[in-house]
Amino acid sequence: MDRDPSEEDSMADLSFEAESPVLPPDELLEGLPSYDWLLQGRERQVFFPPLEALGRSQEPACWSSVLEHRVPVVTEEVAREALLSFVNSHCCYSSAAAGNLIIQELRQQTLCRYRLETFSESRVSEWTFQPVTNHSVDGPQRGTSPRLWDMKVQVPPMFQEDTRKLQVPHSSLVKECHKCHGRGRYKCSGCHGAGMVRCSSCSGTKRKAKQPRRCHLCSGSGRRRCSTCSGRGNKTCATCKGERKLEHFVQLVIMWKNSLFEFMSPHHLHCPKELLAKARGENLFRDENATVYPIVDFPLQDISLASQRGIEEHSTMLASRARILQQRQTIELIPITEVHYWYQGKTSVYYIYGTDHQVYVADYPERYCCGCTIL
């Protein structure tokens, strides 16, 4: 492919540069008016949220209804139906054992699960850049940049995480691209600007070894067009996209996070904690506000202590780097039944947990795989 003569004249001036975008040099960031509060050097900076007054005062709760609350009793019929439903959902489990085993004892109890959710917003600033196009540049000449916490944004629905990036008004400046030095292109590192490379088939000898005919890939020239630059000898600068100039500006990054603290009342069951953590429960208590207060005088002292610990942890973790928008704490009753059964001379146990009667069985008596019994 023929190259423009003007390109050949300037080819020697093009340098080999890495094409991955990088932050602009420090000298580009010096002397910008009113930006000291935005950035210190080139690093991302976190901004402390403004102090706000606490929400409503703590209201005493009455726990008498909690003591009187009862979950439906799991009968022998319900226990067997739950096991059959579980077995039918697993292709390698035989339903014969579930239908024929003898249930000896049902031990029922309820666990309390405390959960605290804290929805917070944090803001950081960072320098970034983009190629200059035809859009107008919003620089300091148009006014003073607002403080980051003064910028108004639409908050997503509570407890739904999201991230948003916004350009800070009046923070832009235009400079020539620091990677290609304003040329808009690089000398190709594959062919060193020549547009042609040695033929990989004949290694530049014009003929293949032990063959009298000329190489068909390079037509006997010993060289082929560079595939990296398509024979042009140069490539468009990946940083400025060939525009030669960059618009540098301060970018506001807003992150909404939902922090979670969970606690399950102590128990001595052999049911995995991860299953109980996901179990459906019956709601006993729900408190949602801008800030919530520790639960006091709950019949189970462990729940009161967990509430205090969770609120303290979230407050300590978020106080210096985020603004708490909303908190929600709940207490749920998780019913769990330990089913003792006898089958073919052996006794064993399975568990029914949650209000939707999920089943956990560690050692089901009849399991199959590919039609073969696992001994």
Side-chain angles (χ1 to χ4, degrees):
M1 181 184 292
D2 295 334
R3 296 196 300 269
D4 191 314
S6 62
E7 290 184 5
E8 294 204 18
D9 293 340
S10 60
M11 194 68 67
D13 295 334
L14 297 179
S15 58
F16 299 104
E17 292 282 354
E19 297 190 22
S20 58
V22 296
L23 289 171
D26 287 330
E27 54 268 22
L28 293 184
L29 310 182
E30 295 176 356
L32 297 180
S34 73
Y35 290 151
D36 292 341
W37 57 270
L38 285 172
L39 290 164
Q40 299 295 329
R42 294 152 44 122
E43 300 299 325
R44 172 183 283 200
Q45 186 170 346
V46 180
F47 288 88
F48 300 149
L51 295 177
E52 297 181 351
L54 294 176
R56 53 94 176 99
S57 59
Q58 184 178 10
E59 299 175 359
C62 178
W63 303 114
S64 59
S65 59
V66 174
L67 295 174
E68 299 171 357
H69 193 91
R70 294 292 182 269
V71 294
V73 175
V74 173
T75 63
E76 183 175 322
E77 182 182 0
V78 171
R80 191 179 302 276
E81 289 178 355
L83 181 60
L84 282 169
S85 177
F86 170 80
V87 168
N88 291 334
S89 66
H90 292 72
C91 63
C92 297
Y93 284 48
S94 170
S95 60
N100 297 326
L101 58 79
I102 298 175
I103 296 178
Q104 297 177 314
E105 185 182 5
L106 298 173
R107 298 179 183 175
Q108 302 187 40
Q109 61 177 294
T110 53
L111 306 178
C112 281
R113 179 175 61 200
Y114 170 79
R115 179 177 288 157
L116 171 68
E117 296 174 88
T118 300
F119 189 60
S120 63
E121 175 185 328
S122 62
R123 299 189 177 194
V124 299
S125 68
E126 59 187 12
W127 273 102
T128 188
F129 53 82
Q130 62 186 9
V132 173
T133 55
N134 293 328
H135 71 276
S136 59
V137 176
D138 184 15
Q141 69 279 4
R142 296 191 175 185
T144 303
S145 296
R147 298 278 176 176
L148 296 191
W149 282 101
D150 292 337
M151 292 180 62
K152 303 298 183 182
V153 296
Q154 181 67 40
V155 178
M158 291 297 169
F159 307 106
Q160 293 187 19
E161 295 189 341
D162 196 7
T163 299
R164 204 169 300 167
K165 296 182 178 181
L166 304 171
Q167 183 172 341
V168 175
H170 317 319
S171 66
S172 299
L173 74 159
V174 175
K175 294 287 185 180
E176 73 173 22
C177 178
H178 53 275
K179 295 303 295 181
C180 65
H181 305 293
R183 296 185 177 94
R185 52 201 170 98
Y186 298 129
K187 183 186 292 184
C188 177
S189 59
C191 62
H192 299 277
M196 305 292 288
V197 295
R198 186 172 61 178
C199 177
S200 58
S201 179
C202 65
S203 301
T205 61
K206 304 181 181 181
R207 298 176 185 273
K208 285 193 173 183
K210 299 181 181 180
Q211 291 186 9
R213 296 182 180 181
R214 66 182 182 178
C215 176
H216 66 281
L217 289 180
C218 64
S219 301
S221 66
R223 299 178 68 78
R224 296 178 60 192
R225 186 174 65 175
C226 176
S227 60
T228 303
C229 64
S230 301
R232 292 188 60 84
N234 62 82
K235 293 182 65 179
T236 300
C237 175
T239 300
C240 68
K241 310 300 182 185
E243 299 292 340
R244 302 188 179 189
K245 291 185 178 181
L246 294 173
E247 177 189 0
H248 300 273
F249 58 91
V250 178
Q251 181 170 257
L252 171 63
V253 182
I254 308 175
M255 292 168 285
W256 290 278
K257 296 291 185 182
N258 192 40
S259 304
L260 179 64
F261 176 92
E262 280 189 335
F263 173 80
M264 186 75 71
S265 59
H267 62 86
H268 301 286
L269 303 172
H270 298 290
C271 192
K273 293 181 179 180
E274 57 270 18
L275 294 182
L276 296 179
K278 298 177 182 178
R280 291 186 181 179
E282 189 161 338
N283 189 68
L284 288 181
F285 172 76
R286 178 189 176 98
D287 178 23
E288 181 175 332
N289 215 303
T291 55
V292 297
Y293 293 86
I295 295 170
V296 294
D297 297 331
F298 189 75
L300 293 177
Q301 187 181 12
D302 289 329
I303 296 296
S304 297
L305 294 176
S307 174
Q308 180 179 350
R309 186 167 65 252
I311 292 174
E312 287 179 354
E313 284 185 10
H314 282 192
S315 178
T316 302
M317 177 178 64
L318 299 172
S320 63
R321 59 184 178 89
R323 177 169 59 184
I324 295 178
L325 302 179
Q326 195 82 348
Q327 288 187 305
R328 178 168 63 198
Q329 60 180 346
T330 58
I331 301 176
E332 296 172 282
L333 273 186
I334 310 297
I336 184 166
T337 302
E338 190 176 56
V339 183
H340 293 255
Y341 68 90
W342 180 92
Y343 183 72
Q344 293 186 348
K346 295 182 179 179
T347 58
S348 192
V349 175
Y350 68 90
Y351 295 93
I352 301 174
Y353 62 92
T355 54
D356 55 349
H357 295 162
Q358 296 296 306
V359 170
Y360 169 73
V361 51
D363 188 18
Y364 188 70
E366 291 186 5
R367 298 175 59 184
Y368 300 90
C369 183
C370 302
C372 302
T373 302
I374 300 177
L375 300 179

